[in-house]
């Protein structure tokens, strides 16, 4: 069994897989008839028109949806926090994005994104394990295990398979162990110097120092520098534009859409520097509002001490502004804020005028809809 994702850098790359997932989710998980319900789809702000057109075509032509709309994920996350304006910091798996939103409208020029995110942190954790001579045995390979003392070799019985396990499946199961380690041991900030013991699926137990557990997060998410594999994808010529103006032109969107996937050297900025850069790139009149309404979302922001460290370092960096961070304590809300905000948005009476009906889709056509309704 091969395991793959249909998303890359926050946008759909494998359309066959994506459409099957959408249809399965609606028909088999929600037990809903898509022809009876309008569809609201969340998207990243750099999602190209081609993807939006294909999504619209799929929901109207294949699922026969009565209405459709694509809303920006940062806007929905902001609505989930009960705000119409603010700075949305989304630290997910593939990318970390910092997006300013004013009165429900995205400011494209100051927006920033970087690949210093959850998957990059996984790579750093894996590298730390390798440096300490630790081999990660995925849970599916362990049939039985014995209790051993800390530091002793694992004693376990391996599970036999009558078939070969694919590399992609093994990588996914290994990533599950890395995610568990991140959630229980990795710290972005903290005063406790106690060591933490982590038990691997095969029963091996290892003691990690507080310094090591914090260093891996610092190197992966907070440390700015220039390396070959950590590519910052920023908005070109953002500083040259008039700061803080509200861009909706095709050039502004194209700047965000362009993604350089080469392996050459790139400048990188840690999450705190990225937030500060974004605020400073906005008009001086909105900086205070943005700094006072910073919303954290995404699973990686759930790291122990993440919110405290961001707040502390931003307060020092933006000394002239009052920094206030909104970070939902509920894990589900933090991970799925775009969905929650989208459900709130779609339930508003004023939102009904934004729906694109199937009749309008057939009469107006996709090119004009993209030009008039999604700019």
């Amino acid at each position: 069994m091969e395991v793959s994702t249909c998303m890359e850098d926050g946008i759909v790359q494998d359309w066959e897989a994506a459409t099957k997932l959408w249809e399965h989710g609606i028909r088999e998980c929600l037990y809903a008839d898509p022809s009876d319900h309008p569809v609201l789809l969340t998207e990243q702000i750099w999602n190209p028109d081609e993807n939006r057109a294909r999504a619209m075509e799929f929901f109207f032509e294949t699922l026969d949806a009565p209405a459709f709309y694509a809303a920006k994920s940062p806007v929905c996350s902001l609505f989930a926090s009960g705000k119409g304006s603010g700075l949305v910091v989304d630290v997910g798996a593939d990318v970390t994005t910092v997006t300013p939103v004013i009165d429900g409208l995205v400011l494209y020029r100051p927006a920033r994104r970087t690949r210093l995110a959850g998957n990059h942190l996984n790579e750093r954790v894996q590298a730390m394990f390798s440096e300490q001579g630790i081999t990660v045995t995925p849970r599916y390979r362990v049939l039985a295990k014995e209790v051993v003392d800390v530091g002793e070799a694992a004693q376990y019985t391996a599970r036999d398979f009558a078939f070969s396990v694919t590399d992609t499946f093994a990588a996914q199961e290994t990533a599950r162990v890395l995610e568990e380690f991140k959630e229980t041991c990795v710290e972005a900030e903290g005063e406790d110097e106690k060591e933490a013991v982590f038990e691997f699926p095969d029963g091996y137990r290892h003691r990690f120092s507080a310094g090591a557990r914090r260093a891996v997060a610092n190197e992966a998410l907070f440390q700015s520098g220039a390396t070959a594999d950590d590519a910052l994808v920023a908005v070109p010529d953002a500083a040259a534009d008039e700061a803080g103006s509200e861009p909706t032109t095709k050039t502004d969107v194209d700047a965000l859409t362009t993604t350089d996937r080469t392996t050459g050297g790139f400048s990188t900025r840690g999450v705190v520097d990225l937030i500060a850069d974004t605020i400073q790139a906005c008009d001086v009149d909105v900086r205070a509002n943005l700094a006072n309404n910073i919303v954290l979302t995404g699973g990686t922001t759930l790291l122990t001490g993440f919110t405290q460290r961001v707040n502390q370092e931003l307060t020092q960096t933006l000394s002239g502004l009052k920094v206030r961070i909104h970070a939902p304590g509920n894990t589900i809300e933090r991970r799925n804020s775009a969905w929650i905000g989208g459900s709130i948005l779609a339930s508003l009476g004023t939102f009904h005028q934004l729906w694109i009906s199937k009749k309008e889709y057939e009469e107006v056509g996709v090119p004009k809809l993209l030009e008039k309704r999604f700019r």
Side-chain angles (χ1 to χ4, degrees):
M1 179 178 65
E2 295 289 348
V3 179
S4 63
T5 176
C6 61
M7 309 287 288
E8 184 176 347
D9 288 341
I11 60 177
V12 176
Q13 297 295 332
D14 186 344
W15 277 94
E16 181 181 1
T19 52
K20 287 181 178 179
L21 282 172
W22 289 338
E23 185 168 8
H24 174 79
I26 295 173
R27 295 187 186 277
E28 306 300 330
C29 297
L30 298 177
Y31 299 104
D33 185 348
S35 63
D36 293 336
H37 303 279
V39 175
L40 174 66
L41 186 70
T42 61
E43 62 176 10
Q44 295 289 3
I45 64 173
W46 60 87
N47 192 39
D49 282 346
E50 293 79 6
N51 281 22
R52 194 176 298 113
R54 292 187 68 172
M56 197 183 312
E57 179 182 352
F58 169 75
F59 284 109
F60 279 134
E61 301 290 346
T62 304
L63 297 189
D64 195 29
F68 172 86
Y69 191 76
K72 306 302 181 186
S73 290
V75 176
C76 292
S77 295
L78 204 59
F79 283 169
S81 301
K83 303 177 184 294
S85 300
L87 189 72
V88 180
V89 181
D90 186 349
V91 189
D94 279 347
V95 291
T96 293
T97 63
V98 183
T99 310
V101 179
I102 299 296
D103 295 331
L105 299 176
V106 171
L107 303 185
Y108 286 93
R109 288 188 189 127
R112 297 289 188 272
R113 58 178 174 153
T114 175
R115 293 194 181 96
L116 302 184
N119 289 342
H120 180 68
L121 179 54
N122 282 1
E123 294 172 2
R124 291 300 176 93
V125 170
Q126 181 69 74
M128 180 182 70
F129 288 165
S130 299
E131 290 173 0
Q132 300 190 23
I134 300 172
T135 300
V136 178
T137 303
R139 200 173 302 279
Y140 76 92
R141 292 182 54 190
V142 179
L143 179 63
K145 61 182 180 181
E146 297 181 10
V147 178
V148 297
D149 292 333
V150 176
E152 290 188 359
Q155 302 291 331
Y156 73 99
T157 303
R159 190 187 302 272
D160 292 328
F161 295 94
F163 52 88
S164 59
V165 177
T166 61
D167 292 339
T168 55
F169 180 80
Q172 176 190 252
E173 293 303 304
T174 300
R176 291 180 185 273
V177 181
L178 302 180
E179 290 288 341
E180 183 180 347
F181 178 81
K182 287 195 307 183
E183 293 175 0
T184 57
C185 294
V186 174
E187 295 181 352
E189 188 62 73
E191 299 179 356
D192 189 356
E193 297 300 325
K194 292 183 179 179
E195 296 178 323
V197 176
F198 181 77
E199 182 176 329
F200 290 85
D202 58 5
Y204 175 69
R205 303 169 70 201
H206 190 85
R207 183 176 283 109
F208 294 91
S209 67
R213 292 184 285 118
R214 292 169 191 158
V216 69
N218 176 63
E219 294 172 359
L221 301 176
F222 292 92
Q223 183 172 298
S224 295
T227 62
D229 58 346
D230 304 331
L232 170 67
V233 185
V235 185
D237 302 324
D241 293 322
E242 182 180 352
S245 60
E246 190 177 300
T248 55
T249 65
K250 187 175 186 301
T251 302
D252 300 321
V253 178
D254 285 347
L256 276 168
T257 303
T258 303
T259 303
D260 194 338
R261 291 187 174 86
T262 63
T263 57
F266 297 90
S267 63
T268 60
R269 302 287 280 171
V271 62
V272 173
D273 292 334
L274 213 63
I275 296 171
D277 291 347
T278 302
I279 292 177
Q280 295 296 344
C282 293
D283 186 79
V284 65
D285 293 335
V286 301
R287 292 177 188 173
N289 188 15
L290 294 176
N292 197 43
N293 293 281
I294 298 175
V295 175
L296 298 184
T297 183
T300 307
T301 63
L302 292 166
L303 288 178
T304 302
F306 185 92
T307 302
Q308 293 85 341
R309 177 165 180 174
V310 171
N311 183 66
Q312 178 181 349
E313 294 190 7
L314 269 182
T315 301
Q316 296 173 352
T317 304
L318 304 173
S319 56
L321 298 173
K322 181 179 180 181
V323 175
R324 179 176 296 174
I325 295 179
H326 177 81
N330 185 292
T331 301
I332 302 299
E333 185 177 350
R334 189 87 67 92
R335 292 180 183 273
N336 304 288
S337 63
W339 188 94
I340 295 172
S343 65
I344 295 172
L345 181 64
S347 65
L348 297 177
T350 54
F351 181 75
H352 288 179
Q353 60 187 341
L354 295 179
W355 285 114
I356 297 173
S357 67
K358 187 171 183 179
K359 181 180 179 181
E360 183 181 6
Y361 164 79
E362 295 171 342
E363 293 179 351
V364 178
V366 173
K368 288 187 178 180
L369 286 174
L370 292 175
E371 181 180 351
K372 294 180 179 180
R373 304 294 293 274
F374 295 104
R375 285 286 181 257

